[in-house]
Amino acid sequence: MGENGEIFPDDVMIDILKRLPVKYLMRFKCVSKNWENLFRTPHFTAQHLRHSIQNRFLLLQRIQRSPTSPVCSTPTSFCLIGPDLSVHELEFLNFASNGAKIVGSRNGLLCLRHTDHALSICNPATRQVTQVPRTLTDVRTLYYFGFGYSPLVNDYKIVRICVCESYESDDDDDNEGNDGIVVLDDIHVNRVEVYSLASGSWRQVDASNLQNLCLVSNAIAAGGGMFWKATTSSDLESSQDPDECLVSFDVGHDVFRLLRGPESHPLPTTYSSTSVLAEYNDKLVMFHQFMMGNFHNFMMVNGEISLIDLWVLDNTHTYAAEGERWIKRYRVGPFSRIIYPISIWRDQIVCHQLLEHVDESGIVKTTLSILNPYSRELKNLPAHRNENYYVSFNYAESLACSQHSA
């Protein structure tokens, strides 16, 4: 109500409410039945999300370093970094995840992969958790996951890509991800299953065009799609550098396509390079990171330099009809140290700075930082701990429901 007891118009009230954190909206549901119903409407949920995205957090998954087998490391906790670089622990997610790894973050919903191979979809802000039913098959295989959203069908989907039938592990109960010994000759995509949150069920989809491909990255969700880096299986046995391509999955149509990456100008042979996928303003981007010499030389010799290019798939939402159109956004560098980009948050590059020494266990020391690509200012993030490495996600609070439609 106003100062003289008058009631605010509905549009003014909505404009106020959409700016509030979710925890307050959850309390305000008790104020009136009308407000409770308002917070459930798609229109208000969308308005609140659009405002929340402008103040999105950086979600960090801390993973304990393992001196004996880094890929077998397990998550220890999660935290949020605010726009002012303040650190907020996610007690609910730390409790609910129970050692799970985040598959993806989309519109305030997180897809979690648990240690018992189960999946769940969680909204940390509303504290709503939905267990995902088991997949259609439970074969002994390696697999990749993706989590995305399509506004075209207003649905969230999980993609499960089985990539290897020949697998060896010392622990028969742990055959997920990259935790065992893989026979490289048999790496190929052999089955894909898709879970729809709207229907609450899995179904197998055609992935014949992914045969002979080996995925070499985790999934990135952007626009209405999911994306992975890939190479052909035969390239693994070749003495030549493998040719990379991109695998895209259209969430709205359940269709896989192969994309070409950006064509970068060649650098001198003294440089080595790597590429990293990320999401920026709901578009797919690719970092090209160039390093003079190689990693071993960097650890032994001072003065090595690195560069970072950022390419944007400008038509991320329409590439299927028009073909890929990559635009180079900027080049940042050179740096007198190795800067390894991992994501973009609020127009800045989240990156690891590699230090010039290793600890007694042989683990390379890194510092988690954010890099302003225009001023080249580097800031260390306060959440950094030497005993952990980090996986980062953009996260915006929302009222999105993690339960499938009835």
Side-chain angles (χ1 to χ4, degrees):
M1 301 180 68
E3 292 182 357
N4 298 319
E6 71 273 13
I7 299 176
F8 287 126
D10 288 346
D11 57 342
V12 174
M13 184 63 68
I14 290 175
D15 190 60
I16 295 172
L17 292 173
K18 74 180 183 181
R19 303 171 188 273
L20 299 178
V22 171
K23 65 178 181 180
Y24 295 124
L25 298 181
M26 293 295 97
R27 297 173 186 171
F28 293 166
K29 288 169 63 176
C30 302
V31 171
S32 73
K33 192 67 175 179
N34 288 339
W35 279 18
E36 181 180 5
N37 293 333
L38 171 67
F39 300 156
R40 292 176 179 174
T41 62
H43 178 69
F44 182 81
T45 298
Q47 280 196 314
H48 183 271
L49 177 63
R50 280 194 292 270
H51 185 270
S52 181
I53 286 176
Q54 304 305 315
N55 299 282
R56 59 190 175 274
F57 293 87
L58 178 66
L59 170 59
L60 295 177
Q61 179 172 250
R62 301 187 186 105
I63 299 181
Q64 182 94 36
R65 294 180 185 270
S66 171
T68 56
S69 180
V71 296
C72 293
S73 302
T74 56
T76 56
S77 61
F78 304 88
C79 69
L80 292 174
I81 306 295
D84 59 352
L85 300 187
S86 58
V87 180
H88 310 268
E89 294 296 326
L90 275 173
E91 287 83 1
F92 170 74
L93 187 57
N94 291 331
F95 170 77
S97 64
N98 192 26
K101 293 182 180 180
I102 297 176
V103 172
S105 170
R106 205 73 176 134
N107 297 343
L109 296 185
L110 305 179
C111 178
L112 303 176
R113 176 168 56 89
H114 299 267
T115 53
D116 62 354
H117 305 175
L119 296 166
S120 64
I121 298 176
C122 168
N123 184 327
T126 63
R127 302 198 168 194
Q128 187 179 64
V129 180
T130 298
Q131 300 302 319
V132 175
R134 290 288 183 175
T135 55
L136 300 174
T137 58
D138 190 16
V139 294
R140 183 176 177 81
T141 182
L142 298 179
Y143 36 87
Y144 284 79
F145 286 103
F147 179 62
Y149 171 77
S150 171
L152 180 67
V153 294
N154 189 28
D155 195 8
Y156 296 86
K157 294 183 180 179
I158 303 172
V159 173
R160 180 181 188 258
I161 303 177
C162 303
V163 297
C164 181
E165 288 287 0
S166 184
Y167 183 92
E168 300 174 13
S169 174
D170 294 333
D171 184 355
D172 290 340
D173 294 329
D174 188 6
N175 60 358
E176 183 177 341
N178 298 317
D179 297 337
I181 300 172
V182 178
V183 180
L184 294 182
D185 292 347
D186 295 331
I187 288 183
H188 62 280
V189 173
N190 57 68
R191 184 182 180 92
V192 176
E193 296 170 343
V194 176
Y195 173 79
S196 162
L197 181 60
S199 67
S201 62
W202 291 89
R203 78 180 189 95
Q204 187 172 349
V205 300
D206 177 48
S208 56
N209 58 340
L210 304 189
Q211 296 298 320
N212 301 320
L213 288 181
C214 175
L215 303 185
V216 293
S217 77
N218 293 323
I220 293 295
M226 307 179 206
F227 303 87
W228 297 259
K229 288 197 310 175
T231 184
T232 59
S233 299
S234 58
D235 285 336
L236 296 174
E237 302 174 1
S238 172
S239 59
Q240 300 179 350
D241 292 334
D243 292 329
E244 286 187 346
C245 66
L246 299 180
V247 171
S248 74
F249 178 76
D250 186 323
V251 178
H253 296 95
D254 289 354
V255 173
F256 282 99
R257 295 182 178 88
L258 302 184
L259 282 68
R260 295 168 298 178
E263 295 183 5
S264 59
H265 297 293
L267 288 174
T269 56
T270 53
Y271 279 83
S272 58
S273 65
T274 186
S275 59
V276 178
L277 296 180
E279 176 267 337
Y280 176 58
N281 288 339
D282 208 28
K283 292 185 177 182
L284 179 71
V285 300
M286 178 181 284
F287 289 110
H288 279 170
Q289 189 252 13
F290 303 96
M291 178 175 62
M292 179 176 286
N294 55 47
F295 178 76
H296 176 72
N297 289 339
F298 170 79
M299 301 308 297
M300 302 299 294
V301 180
N302 293 326
E304 304 299 329
I305 63 174
S306 61
L307 301 165
I308 299 172
D309 288 348
L310 181 73
W311 292 82
V312 180
L313 183 58
D314 188 56
N315 57 339
T316 298
H317 299 78
T318 59
Y319 67 88
E322 304 174 7
E324 311 91 290
R325 186 172 67 246
W326 291 92
I327 295 178
K328 185 176 178 180
R329 184 68 181 264
Y330 52 69
R331 166 170 287 182
V332 57
F335 300 97
S336 60
R337 71 198 79 179
I338 294 180
I339 306 294
Y340 189 83
I342 56 177
S343 65
I344 297 181
W345 174 59
R346 302 177 66 84
D347 297 327
Q348 300 192 75
I349 301 172
V350 182
C351 58
H352 289 294
Q353 293 186 65
L354 275 67
L355 306 181
E356 300 181 20
H357 63 279
V358 297
D359 63 17
E360 295 178 355
S361 64
I363 295 177
V364 178
K365 292 290 187 179
T366 63
T367 299
L368 188 66
S369 308
I370 53 172
L371 167 65
N372 185 314
Y374 304 104
S375 67
R376 296 181 56 183
E377 180 185 13
L378 272 164
K379 293 182 180 180
N380 292 343
L381 288 174
H384 178 75
R385 299 175 184 172
N386 287 331
E387 67 271 19
N388 299 323
Y389 71 91
Y390 295 84
V391 181
S392 67
F393 303 88
N394 279 268
Y395 171 76
E397 282 193 349
S398 83
L399 294 165
C401 181
S402 67
Q403 296 177 339
H404 67 82
S405 303

